[in-house]
Structures are given as C-alpha cells and as structure tokens.
Amino acid sequence: MISLLKLKIPCDNKCLIDLQAGDQVLISGTIFTARDAAHKRMFEAVEKGEDLPFDIKDQFIYYVGPTPAMPWMVIGSAGPTTSSRMDKYTPTLLDMGLKGMIGKGYRSEEVVASIVKNKAVYLAAIGGTGALISRTIKEMEVVAYKELGPEAIYKLTVEDFPATVIIDSQGSDWYSIGKTIFNDTKNKEKTQS
C-alpha cells in the first residue's frame, strides 16, 4: 500500500528502513544539490584523500541545477535532472555515508546494489515541476564550487518537498513494480474483452 509520509533529514538508517518503493514523501530539513561537475570534483577530492566540502554522513543530495531566482524568490526553478549521469560516483558517496539521492530516471545495477548495501534510498522528484518544487525551498546558500554557477553545491532548507521512493533500502524498484502492475492490468483487460 502506498503511503504519504513525512521525512525529516538528515537521517540515518532508522528513518529510512520503513520506506517502501512507491511511498510518497514530504521532505523537510537540509538537502544538498550536486550535478555532474560537482560530483566529478567531489570524486576527485576523495581520490586525493581530501575532505568533501560538506559532511555527507546521513545527508541527501538533490540532482538539480536551479535557474536564477527573481529578486523576491529564494531560488529559481528547481526541477530534477537525470540521475544516471551521477551513477559512476554514487557508490563511493554511499560508502561514505550518503543516505539518499533525489533525481529522476533509472539507476544502474551497481547503484542499486550500493543502495541496498548502505541501507540508503533513491527518490524521484517530478520532472517539469521545477517552479512548483522551488516553493518548498525556504533557504539556499552556496557551499562549494561557486564558479560552477547552477552546478555549484548548494545547501537547501526545504519544507514539505514532494518526492516518491523509487528504490528503497531493500532494493525494491518502483519503476519495475509499476511496469508489472501496468502489464497485469493490460493482460486482465485483454482476457476480459
């Protein structure tokens, strides 16, 4: 059964273990943004034995490159970007304590295995709703790589940020479950026709 749950982050394994693929969540707390260029820099820092620009333990990263804000806004449009572009960096970050990622689209088998190993989650925000999502962002500050512009790492304070659990800490995948439900429904319709 799909649930609507409140999720306060940062959080550890205990607050994620009961989340199931398909659950709808409203996130409140602190999340960090990072896209391709920021992930590459963080990965290079790890390879050199340097510290990351923020403590990644129990944190969530939102794959987004926000648009410029109007003077009366905290942030511009803040819709998700394709998550698979970060897949080559994700297992390393999960091993370092990252607990969740928010984006859109599928993840590789390696990322899913790392999610299960680290008892993390992958959530999806709805693409095309960046202007609506931006309303849930109450504060924003640049944390690192300011020269990357929208691809810099930002710290966001969010309130009731909407997302769907796509891959839960047990490895269940809502995209696969959804396909099965759809195909079963179509097959029942065909046999009843």
Side-chain angles (χ1 to χ4, degrees):
M1 178 176 203
I2 299 170
S3 303
L4 176 61
L5 305 167
K6 296 271 190 171
L7 181 60
K8 176 81 171 134
I9 55 175
C11 67
D12 57 18
N13 294 355
K14 293 176 192 166
C15 70
L16 301 178
I17 199 73
D18 291 331
L19 293 179
Q20 295 181 355
D23 284 346
Q24 304 292 307
V25 296
L26 295 175
I27 302 166
S28 294
T30 302
I31 59 178
F32 292 87
T33 71
R35 284 183 44 159
D36 313 54
H39 272 75
K40 182 176 187 288
R41 288 207 187 168
M42 287 191 295
F43 189 76
E44 290 168 349
V46 169
E47 285 185 322
K48 294 176 186 174
E50 299 171 357
D51 290 335
L52 293 179
F54 65 96
D55 183 3
I56 202 164
K57 184 171 173 28
D58 298 335
Q59 298 293 344
F60 275 54
I61 292 178
Y62 180 29
Y63 305 139
V64 61
T67 63
M70 299 305 271
W72 63 89
M73 299 170 69
V74 172
I75 191 171
S77 184
T81 196
T82 304
S83 303
S84 61
R85 296 198 320 254
M86 274 52 78
D87 279 2
K88 61 185 168 187
Y89 310 115
T90 300
T92 298
L93 297 177
L94 287 167
D95 288 344
M96 295 177 72
L98 180 66
K99 284 297 164 198
M101 295 100 11
I102 307 166
K104 67 178 181 182
Y106 296 94
R107 303 311 299 264
S108 69
E109 288 181 20
E110 182 183 20
V111 169
V112 174
S114 188
I115 288 170
V116 172
K117 172 186 162 193
N118 291 288
K119 300 297 178 210
V121 294
Y122 168 56
L123 310 175
I126 299 171
T129 61
L132 294 173
I133 289 172
S134 69
R135 294 179 189 173
T136 69
I137 300 168
K138 305 303 178 187
E139 295 177 27
M140 177 181 81
E141 70 176 272
V142 176
V143 172
Y145 317 135
K146 184 177 182 176
E147 67 279 5
L148 295 178
E151 289 205 38
I153 295 177
Y154 293 89
K155 178 181 176 182
L156 306 179
T157 301
V158 299
E159 184 178 320
D160 291 339
F161 179 108
T164 302
V165 178
I166 300 300
I167 301 170
D168 63 31
S169 62
Q170 306 304 308
S172 296
D173 183 332
W174 184 241
Y175 291 147
S176 296
I177 294 166
K179 282 182 186 177
T180 300
I181 292 169
F182 177 79
N183 288 332
D184 289 349
T185 301
K186 284 295 187 191
N187 289 336
K188 284 180 186 175
E189 289 174 0
K190 285 180 184 177
T191 58
Q192 292 174 356
S193 297

